[in-house]
Amino acid sequence: MGGYILTRLLSAIPVLLGITVIVFLIMAMIPGDPATAILGSYATPENVARLNRHLGLDEPLWRQYFIWLGNLLQGDFGRSFALNRPVLDEILDRFSATLILAGTAFVLCSALGILAGVVSAARQYGLADKAITFVVILGISVPSFFLGMMMILLFAVQLRWLPVSGMYSIWGGGDVPDLIRHLTMPALALSVVATGVIARLSRGAMLEVLRQDFIRTARAKGVHERRVIWGHALRAAMVSIIPVLGIQAGFVLSGAVYIEMVFQWPGVGRMLVDAILKRDILLVQGGVVFVAACYVGFNIVVDVAQSVLDPRIRT
Amino acid sequence: MANSSFTRRGLGLLTAALLASSALVAPAAAQTPPGVLVVGQIAEPQALDPHAVTAVNDFRILMNVYDGLVRYASGTLEVEPALAESWEISDDGTVYTFTLREDVTFHDGSAFDAEAVVWNFERMLNEDHPYHGTGPFPLSFFFSAVEGVEALDARTVQFTLNEPYAPFLSNMAYPTGLIVSPAAVMEHGDDFGRNPSGTGPFRFAEWRSNERVVVTRNEDYWDGVAGTEAVIFRPISDANTRVAEMLSGGIDMMVEVPPVALSQFQGDGYELVEQAGPHVWFLILNAKEGPFADKRVRQAANYAINKEALVNDVLEGTADIAAGPTPPAFAWAYNDALEPYPYNPDRARELLAEADAEGASLTFYVTEGGSGMLDPIPMGTAIQADLAAVGFDVTIETYEWNTFLGRVNPGLEGKADMAQMAWMTNDPDTLPFLTLRTDAFPDAGGFNSGYYSNPEVDALLEAARVETDQETRAQLYREMQEIVQDDAPWVFVANWKQNAVTSGAVENFQLEPSFFLLLKDVVKN
C-alpha cells in the first residue's frame, strides 16, 4: 500500500513540472503585458519598457522561467504586480474561500447525486425514477451561472431571504450561520450539474450491480432489502462511482470560477480571472500551479481510496 | 414490494436535506446598519497608495483617506486650499510657495509638515530616493516640470519649476498630489499600499481581499468631522450582481450603473445622481495614411455617425454629444460657440465624392471594455453601420483592453484607420497636450496615435501651458478647439455623464465633476 502511494506521488512530479512549463508559456504568449495594465491609458512604449525592466520582464524567457521555478521550489511565489502583495499570501487567503465553496458543493453533489441515483435504480422505471430523471436532466442542462443569477433574482432580490453576494456580512458577521446563509445559493448553483451527472452514473452503476448473483443470493437468504441496497449493492457500486466523484470534484473546482464571479465569492477562481485581465503574471502562474497541485493531490487521494475498496487496482 | 419502504425513506431524506438548507435561512436579509455607508465599487482597488495608481476606482477611496495641498472645490474643477492654507506664485510662474495648515497629523500619529511634503515628492520624482523603489509612480510625469522641492521652514514649502507650467495646481489637486505619511511608508515599505495613512476625513481600518475596504471616521479631522462613522467599499465587479445588491439592500450606494439597469432605480426609495465630468469618447483617425489622410474624409466620418442615436439609444442617455476635443466640464476653458457635427449622411457622401474616397475600406479597432470606454462593442457596431450607410467598408477588429492599448498607443500606422478611445483628465491641458501635438507622436513618447499635426495647434498648446493668466489661457484653448474641430483628427462622439444610485437612507450625496467620490459630508441614516 505504502509503495503504491509513493509511486502515485512520484508520478505527480512530471505532471506538475509540465504544468509549470505550460502555464509559463501561455502567460508569455498572450498579448498585453503587466506594464500596460499597470500604466493604463498613460502607457507609452517608453514607460512600458522601463516598467518591464523594473519588473524583470526584459530577461530572456528561459531565464525568467528558471528564476521563477527556482523561487517556486523554495516556496517563493513572487509578488503580485497588480495587488502589490506576495502571491502566496493572496492564494492562501483566497483558496480557503474556494475550498469552503467547492467543498460544500462537492459534499452536496456527492450526497444528493448518489442518493438520487440509488433511489432511481432501486425503483427502475417507477414514478420516483422518472421524476428524478426529469429533474436530473433539467439540472444537467441549465448552465450553473444562469441558474445562479435566477436564484439571486428570486431568493435575494424578490424574497430577500438570502444575501446576494460575498462570503460574510460586511459589518461584523463572520460566524458560521452567516457563512451558511451566504454559501447556500452559490453552493447549490455550483453543485447542480455535478449532482445530475453523479445521479445518472450512480443509477447505472447500481443497476449493473443489482443484476449480479451476489445480490440475488443476499435477497434469497432473506437479507432485508434496505441492507441489500445500501449495504451490499452500494458498496459494490462505489468502486465505479468513486472515480466519477474524482472527476466531478475537478468540474466543481473549475465551475467555481463562474460561480465566484456571479456571487462575488472571494475565491481563487475570481482571483485568477482578475489576475488574467490585469496581466498579473506571477499571480496567474502561482495560482494555476497551486490549483493544479491540489487537483493532482486530490486525484491521488481518489486513486488510493479506490484501491482500498478494490485491491485489484494496486497490482 | 419490499423496497418501497426504502425509497420513501430516500425521498424523505432528499426533502429533508432541501428543507434543512432553507431552515438555515433567516427570515429577511438584514439592512446595512445606520451610520455605516456601504459603497458598491466596480473592482478591487490595486493599492491605496495615491502615487502608485491610475484608476478612478482607486481614487474613489483615496480621496477620502488623504488630502492634497490643494483640492477641487466641491462641484467644480477649480482649485481651493486644503492642506495648504495659501500659496504664492512668482511673477515668472516658476516658483510656487505654499503655506501649510498647522496642527495636522497623519492617521498614524506623525506630524504633517513641510518636510513630509518634500519627502512625498522626492519619493516620486527622485530615482535615488531610498523609497523610490516602493513605486512605480505611473503618473509622476504630472510633476515632471518640478525641478526642486524645498522646506523653507516647518510651515512653508517651495516648488521650483523648470519653466512656467499652468496645470501645476490642478495636478496638485489630483490624487497623484495627495500627501502620504512618510513614517507609514518607512514602516510598511512595499506593503504601504495595503496599509495607507494620510490626513483625510477617514482613516483606513481594514482591507480584506475582494471583500471590503473599511475606513472609519477621523475624529480629529481639520475640516470638520465626517457625517458617517464608517464607509465600507465593496468590490462587485459583475454589474448584474452590483444591481442585485442595490435592489436587495445589501449596499447603500453604487457607482457606474449600467445604462440598461437605470429604469429599475426610477421608483421611490432610490435616488439617481448624475454629473458630467471631464470625459471624452472619440475615434482616433489615422491622419498619416489611408483615406483619413484627407481632411474631407475625416469630416465626412464626423457627419456620417449618428451621435444622437449613440448617446440616447446605445448609452440610454448616460452621455452627451461631444462637440470637440475639450469636454464642457472644463467650463472656463470650453468653447461654447462650438456646435457638434450634425448627423448628415448626405453631406458626408458629398465630401467623400469630393475627396474621391467613395467605398474606401477601413480597419476599425474596437475594445471589449476598459476605463471610460462605456459600451464599446455596441457603439462600435453602430458606428460601423453608420459609416457603411455612406459607403465606407468597415472591418472591425476587437481586442481585450490591455492588448488594445498595446496596439493603439504605439500608433495606428500600418495597422488601422480608426480606433476607439476615451480619456478622463483633470485639466484642459492634459488631453490635447498628450494626444494632439506634433511632438506627441508615439515615437516621441506621446499618445498622438493618429499622427495629427497642425503647427497652429502646437503653438496654441505650448503657449497655454506656460500662460499663468487664466482668461488668456482659456482664450488659447478655445481657439485650439475651433481649429481641431474643423481639422477633425477624431470623430468627437460623447461626453459621459457619470451616475450613481443611493438608497433613501443616504443624504447629502453629490457626484463631483472630477469623478472622485467625496463622502465626508454624506449622512447615512
Side-chain angles (χ1 to χ4, degrees):
Chain A
M1 190 72 205
Y4 175 72
I5 295 175
L6 190 69
T7 322
R8 290 292 289 113
L9 282 176
L10 286 175
S11 70
I13 292 173
V15 174
L16 286 173
L17 269 179
I19 287 164
T20 62
V21 173
I22 291 168
V23 67
F24 183 85
L25 286 179
I26 288 177
M27 283 314 285
M29 274 188 300
I30 59 168
D33 56 290
T36 311
I38 290 171
L39 296 170
S41 307
Y42 296 99
T44 60
E46 188 190 334
N47 285 341
V48 169
R50 188 186 314 143
L51 191 50
N52 274 335
R53 206 158 49 239
H54 179 79
L55 297 171
L57 294 171
D58 57 341
E59 301 270 358
L61 217 50
W62 63 269
R63 258 202 79 163
Q64 286 185 43
Y65 173 76
F66 283 109
I67 292 173
W68 172 63
L69 187 68
N71 292 337
L72 208 60
L73 292 176
Q74 296 166 46
D76 177 7
F77 281 62
R79 208 177 165 84
S80 149
F81 309 139
L83 298 170
N84 206 3
R85 114 177 253 240
V87 164
L88 193 59
D89 289 4
E90 182 70 14
I91 293 174
L92 292 177
D93 265 10
R94 307 291 285 273
F95 193 68
S96 54
T98 296
L99 269 189
I100 291 173
L101 173 61
T104 309
F106 180 67
V107 170
L108 269 179
C109 70
S110 307
L112 292 178
I114 292 173
L115 182 70
V118 172
V119 171
S120 262
R123 296 285 303 262
Q124 195 184 7
Y125 306 132
L127 189 64
D129 185 22
K130 282 176 184 156
I132 289 173
T133 303
F134 175 76
V135 174
V136 158
I137 299 291
L138 197 73
I140 295 178
S141 321
V142 179
S144 53
F145 67 89
F146 176 77
L147 189 74
M149 284 195 260
M150 291 301 111
M151 287 167 100
I152 289 180
L153 217 55
L154 179 62
F155 295 113
V157 175
Q158 293 297 329
L159 299 171
R160 296 207 171 191
W161 288 355
L162 291 168
V164 174
S165 66
M167 187 166 166
Y168 291 105
S169 298
I170 28 172
W171 53 93
D175 49 359
V176 173
D178 186 41
L179 174 64
I180 292 174
R181 273 165 22 82
H182 283 81
L183 188 57
T184 307
M185 285 198 291
L188 279 175
L190 180 54
S191 62
V192 161
V193 173
T195 305
V197 173
I198 292 171
R200 291 308 289 164
L201 289 158
S202 310
R203 180 179 180 272
M206 281 295 287
L207 285 176
E208 194 147 310
V209 172
L210 285 172
R211 277 197 291 272
Q212 287 179 12
D213 289 344
F214 76 97
I215 297 291
R216 201 171 315 139
T217 312
R219 280 179 178 153
K221 285 203 303 196
V223 175
H224 194 282
E225 183 65 16
R226 195 182 303 162
R227 220 179 117 65
V228 169
I229 300 280
W230 294 100
H232 297 63
L234 183 57
R235 190 190 144 91
M238 280 313 274
V239 176
S240 21
I241 293 175
I242 282 181
V244 176
L245 294 186
I247 294 168
Q248 290 307 309
F251 280 125
V252 166
L253 201 60
S254 50
V257 176
Y258 309 112
I259 294 298
E260 284 175 6
M261 293 303 287
V262 172
F263 290 95
Q264 299 293 308
W265 193 262
V268 163
R270 223 178 111 206
M271 177 195 83
L272 283 177
V273 173
D274 287 347
I276 290 168
L277 290 177
K278 289 180 186 154
R279 298 294 183 272
D280 196 346
I281 296 180
L282 290 179
L283 190 56
V284 177
Q285 291 175 174
V288 170
V289 169
F290 190 87
V291 171
C294 293
Y295 194 92
V296 169
F298 189 81
N299 271 303
I300 293 175
V301 172
V302 170
D303 286 353
V304 170
Q306 208 182 355
S307 75
V308 170
L309 281 173
D310 187 355
R312 282 169 301 176
I313 289 170
R314 261 173 278 166
T315 53
Chain B
M1 225 169 108
N3 58 2
S4 67
S5 68
F6 128 77
T7 23
R8 233 173 291 150
R9 192 184 149 86
L11 280 174
L13 265 174
L14 194 75
T15 322
L18 288 173
L19 279 177
S21 66
S22 54
L24 288 164
V25 166
Q31 296 298 301
T32 58
V36 177
L37 180 71
V38 184
V39 180
Q41 283 264 74
I42 57 165
E44 173 94 339
Q46 184 181 328
L48 295 178
D49 179 345
H51 305 155
V53 296
T54 61
V56 169
N57 181 63
D58 299 17
F59 295 166
R60 290 189 176 118
I61 304 176
L62 292 169
M63 294 306 291
N64 296 291
V65 177
Y66 297 93
D67 295 303
L69 295 188
V70 295
R71 66 184 177 198
Y72 300 121
S74 180
T76 75
L77 288 166
E78 312 269 339
V79 170
E80 69 173 18
L83 286 177
E85 280 173 334
S86 61
W87 58 89
E88 273 171 30
I89 307 171
S90 67
D91 289 340
D92 67 351
T94 59
V95 181
Y96 285 68
T97 311
F98 294 89
T99 307
L100 304 181
R101 200 169 287 282
E102 275 182 85
D103 298 325
V104 177
T105 48
F106 288 107
H107 299 151
D108 61 3
S110 59
F112 163 76
D113 56 19
E115 286 299 339
V117 176
V118 173
W119 194 94
N120 266 264
F121 284 88
E122 294 265 304
R123 174 173 83 123
M124 250 190 291
L125 301 172
N126 178 359
E127 289 187 15
D128 301 324
H129 190 268
Y131 291 90
H132 187 73
T134 52
F137 306 111
L139 298 185
S140 60
F141 71 85
F142 272 29
F143 300 110
S144 51
V146 173
E147 210 165 60
V149 195
E150 211 183 331
L152 299 186
D153 59 54
R155 302 260 70 87
T156 317
V157 65
Q158 192 170 71
F159 288 76
T160 312
L161 312 186
N162 51 21
E163 60 176 350
Y165 177 55
F168 180 66
L169 276 181
S170 69
N171 284 352
M172 290 290 276
Y174 206 63
T176 320
L178 293 172
I179 304 296
V180 307
S181 158
V185 178
M186 289 182 216
E187 183 187 342
H188 297 288
D190 283 346
D191 290 325
F192 172 71
R194 293 187 80 94
N195 299 279
S197 175
T199 57
F202 292 93
R203 46 178 94 224
F204 171 77
E206 185 193 28
W207 178 349
R208 286 180 65 93
S209 278
N210 262 281
E211 284 186 50
R212 60 184 173 214
V213 170
V214 184
V215 297
T216 56
R217 175 155 71 191
N218 174 6
E219 303 291 347
D220 305 320
Y221 190 52
W222 58 269
D223 195 22
V225 173
T228 58
E229 285 163 42
V231 181
I232 300 175
F233 296 90
R234 284 191 61 190
I236 308 174
S237 46
D238 185 89
N240 293 318
T241 309
R242 207 155 67 236
V243 170
E245 277 287 8
M246 192 69 215
L247 289 171
S248 73
I251 54 178
D252 303 309
M253 176 190 295
M254 71 176 279
V255 293
E256 299 193 24
V257 186
V260 289
L262 282 175
S263 58
Q264 307 205 46
F265 297 109
Q266 302 293 358
D268 294 341
Y270 299 105
E271 196 185 347
L272 185 62
V273 191
E274 279 187 336
Q275 170 76 57
H279 167 276
V280 203
W281 198 105
F282 55 97
L283 301 174
I284 304 171
L285 305 178
N286 185 343
K288 188 171 198 170
E289 53 178 13
F292 290 130
D294 188 321
K295 172 168 150 183
R296 290 167 297 186
V297 183
R298 299 198 298 265
Q299 289 176 332
N302 268 289
Y303 283 115
I305 293 168
N306 188 346
K307 286 160 260 186
E308 203 167 306
L310 284 173
V311 300
N312 290 334
D313 301 342
V314 181
L315 300 175
E316 308 257 349
T318 55
D320 291 322
I321 298 174
T326 303
F330 294 120
W332 62 272
Y334 180 67
N335 190 337
D336 294 312
L338 289 186
E339 285 293 327
Y341 278 89
Y343 173 52
N344 189 343
D346 292 331
R347 177 80 188 118
R349 285 188 203 97
E350 269 173 45
L351 284 163
L352 286 181
E354 266 177 51
D356 210 17
E358 294 134 311
S361 303
L362 302 173
T363 303
F364 178 18
Y365 277 180
V366 168
T367 181
E368 289 168 2
S371 172
M373 294 305 296
L374 311 181
D375 220 349
I377 291 178
M379 291 173 83
T381 48
I383 287 167
Q384 181 187 38
D386 284 345
L387 292 175
V390 299
F392 285 112
D393 175 20
V394 184
T395 310
I396 283 182
E397 287 183 23
T398 312
Y399 296 98
E400 179 275 325
W401 179 237
N402 288 311
T403 316
F404 181 83
L405 287 177
R407 295 187 76 88
V408 174
N409 285 351
L412 298 183
E413 190 178 4
K415 291 183 291 199
D417 300 290
M418 53 198 274
Q420 301 179 330
M421 190 48 74
W423 280 71
M424 283 180 267
T425 53
N426 66 313
D427 188 280
D429 170 77
T430 315
L431 178 62
F433 194 83
L434 291 175
T435 58
L436 290 173
R437 278 178 322 130
T438 310
D439 286 344
F441 277 13
D443 52 15
F447 298 90
N448 188 348
S449 306
Y451 318 95
Y452 168 64
S453 174
N454 182 330
E456 276 183 88
V457 170
D458 293 346
L460 288 167
L461 288 173
E462 298 288 354
R465 169 167 271 225
V466 296
E467 176 58 58
T468 42
D469 177 61
Q470 178 151 316
E471 193 33 52
T472 319
R473 227 186 128 203
Q475 198 50 49
L476 298 167
Y477 286 129
R478 289 191 201 115
E479 223 174 297
M480 176 277 295
Q481 289 163 54
E482 258 171 53
I483 301 171
V484 170
Q485 196 204 31
D486 184 62
D487 277 345
W490 301 343
V491 176
F492 313 101
V493 179
N495 299 124
W496 179 43
K497 289 182 282 188
Q498 55 169 334
N499 59 28
V501 170
T502 62
S503 78
V506 176
E507 282 174 28
N508 256 352
F509 173 70
Q510 63 171 34
L511 285 166
E512 298 293 325
S514 54
F515 292 109
F516 305 152
L517 212 51
L518 303 182
L519 299 173
K520 183 178 92 70
D521 296 325
V522 173
V523 175
K524 160 74 189 304
N525 297 312

